[in-house]
Each structure stands twice: as C-alpha cells, then as structure tokens.
Amino acid sequence: MHRRRRTALTLSAALIAAAPLLTACGNDAHPGAAAVVGGERIEVSTLQAQVRDVRDAQQASPQAAELIKNTGQLGQVKLNSMIFDRILQKAADDAGVKASRKDIQSTRQAAAQQSGGEDQLEAMLLQQGALTPDQIDTAIRREVLMSKLAQSLGANTTTPEGQQQVLAVLVKTSEELGIDVNPRYGAWDVKQVRLGEAKTPWLTQVTKEAPPEQAPTGA
C-alpha cells in the first residue's frame, strides 16, 4: 500500500472514536435521535452500540487505561463519522461511483500486509482510530469511496486544490441533505463537513503527515 493510501486509511479509522456511554437524546424535534440526515434518523441506541463495542475492545487491551484516556469524546466522533458516511454515500451515488466488496477486501488485505498481519492491523486501528474489528470495513469503505469520488472529479487529493475540489462537493451534498444534530452532541458545521464541537485530540499524531487542508473524512 502506498504511503498516501495508508495515511488515508489511518485518517478514516481515526474518524470513528471515544467518550462515556451516551444517555437518551434530548432533542424534542426528534426524540431518540442523535441526528437526522436527509430525513433519515441516526438513533441514539445505534450510536451507543458503537461506543459500547469500542469501549469493550479497549477494556480488553493491555493499554486499556491509555486508550480510553486518549479517546475522550467517542460518542461525538462516532456520530460525526456516521453522519459523514451518509453524506459521502450520496456524493458517491451522485457521481456514479461505488465501493465493491472486492475493493474493500483487497484494501483491507493490503493494509494488513503493510501492518504485519490482520492482528496487527486490528490492534493498530483500535489504538489509532478507536475501531473494533467489525468496524474496520466501514472505515475502509469510506477510504475507497473518497478515492473514487476524487477520481471521478479529476481531483488530485495530494494538492490543496484537489482537496478543496472534493470538499466543495461534500459541502454541497451536506447542504442538500440538511443535517439536524441533537445539541447534546454539538452543531453541524456545513463548511467543514463535521460536527463543530467534535474534538479529536488523538488525530494530531496520526495525521501529522497529512496537509491541513486535506479533504475531510468527517474529522
């Protein structure tokens, strides 16, 4: 796997990460929903399940205390990624691109080989991206779709111009869908295509080689 591709996978992984288990949604307009995207609900229970799975995996790690400490807003970041995935999916559909099962499998195999094996890949992504093994394919699918979307636009994402080109499409799609987030989790920043208050302090080290203007993958 090329360095740029590996970085993209790490970025995608880091988008899915850590906080205490969340309580019931307080949004009067959409009770029980953490967010509504294009009229489709993201249930608090679904969000809680992802958080719980990560916490269980972290607790089973020898570095449990450190992993939990370094992922202090897991609920917000998981929701951020869930919203972003829906935006990316619509943008990809509009562009006529898809991430096939073969694409995902081959990318995961290459990532595992690069990491020294599947076990090593899973351990790395739990540490760097707060991903459980069952969540890795979702992160890889995001990477594949981002890459194919950029290709369909003729955008070179190694350059600020190419990144901004992809960002513009995601911003437009985000605006079209309309994102209604329960205030408990922050406010949606349309221009940055992310939850405005979703802090991801562990991203600093993981993404330090990536340009600051990199097209967002929900981070």
Side-chain angles (χ1 to χ4, degrees):
M1 178 179 291
H2 297 300
R3 179 180 177 185
R4 178 168 64 87
R5 192 166 182 77
R6 181 177 59 190
T7 301
L9 174 59
T10 306
L11 281 168
S12 297
L15 295 176
I16 316 186
L21 290 182
L22 304 169
T23 56
C25 181
N27 189 337
D28 293 335
H30 305 287
V36 179
V37 183
E40 296 185 0
R41 295 163 58 94
I42 298 176
E43 301 292 346
V44 170
S45 59
T46 303
L47 177 59
Q48 287 179 330
Q50 286 208 11
V51 172
R52 187 180 304 114
D53 287 347
V54 172
R55 286 298 189 219
D56 288 347
Q58 289 175 331
Q59 290 285 2
S61 169
Q63 295 83 35
E66 180 182 359
L67 291 177
I68 294 172
K69 178 182 178 181
N70 290 340
T71 53
Q73 297 185 31
L74 181 56
Q76 285 178 309
V77 181
K78 285 289 184 184
L79 179 59
N80 186 61
S81 297
M82 295 167 77
I83 295 171
F84 181 84
D85 283 343
R86 286 158 175 76
I87 295 169
L88 177 59
Q89 183 61 63
K90 185 179 188 306
D93 289 344
D94 291 345
V97 299
K98 297 180 179 180
S100 69
R101 186 63 192 165
K102 182 178 180 180
D103 291 332
I104 296 169
Q105 289 176 338
S106 62
T107 302
R108 182 163 180 164
Q109 289 170 357
Q113 184 176 13
Q114 179 71 35
S115 302
E118 183 69 20
D119 290 345
Q120 289 80 358
L121 176 67
E122 291 178 1
M124 179 190 74
L125 293 182
L126 177 63
Q127 180 181 21
Q128 296 185 352
L131 285 169
T132 66
D134 289 343
Q135 295 170 358
I136 293 175
D137 279 0
T138 298
I140 292 176
R141 183 175 185 277
R142 184 181 308 121
E143 180 198 359
V144 172
L145 279 180
M146 284 289 290
S147 177
K148 289 192 172 185
L149 177 61
Q151 291 174 10
S152 73
L153 297 171
N156 180 359
T157 54
T158 64
T159 67
E161 293 79 11
Q163 293 157 13
Q164 289 301 314
Q165 188 176 351
V166 176
L167 174 60
V169 171
L170 295 174
V171 167
K172 181 175 181 292
T173 304
S174 176
E175 291 172 339
E176 291 174 350
L177 283 173
I179 313 297
D180 183 7
V181 177
N182 186 313
R184 179 187 299 271
Y185 309 112
W188 186 252
D189 186 337
V190 175
K191 298 304 180 183
Q192 296 298 319
V193 196
R194 67 180 182 186
L195 271 175
E197 297 183 11
K199 306 298 183 183
T200 54
W202 62 92
L203 277 177
T204 302
Q205 180 176 356
V206 174
T207 66
K208 61 184 178 182
E209 296 179 356
E213 303 87 358
Q214 180 145 353
T217 50

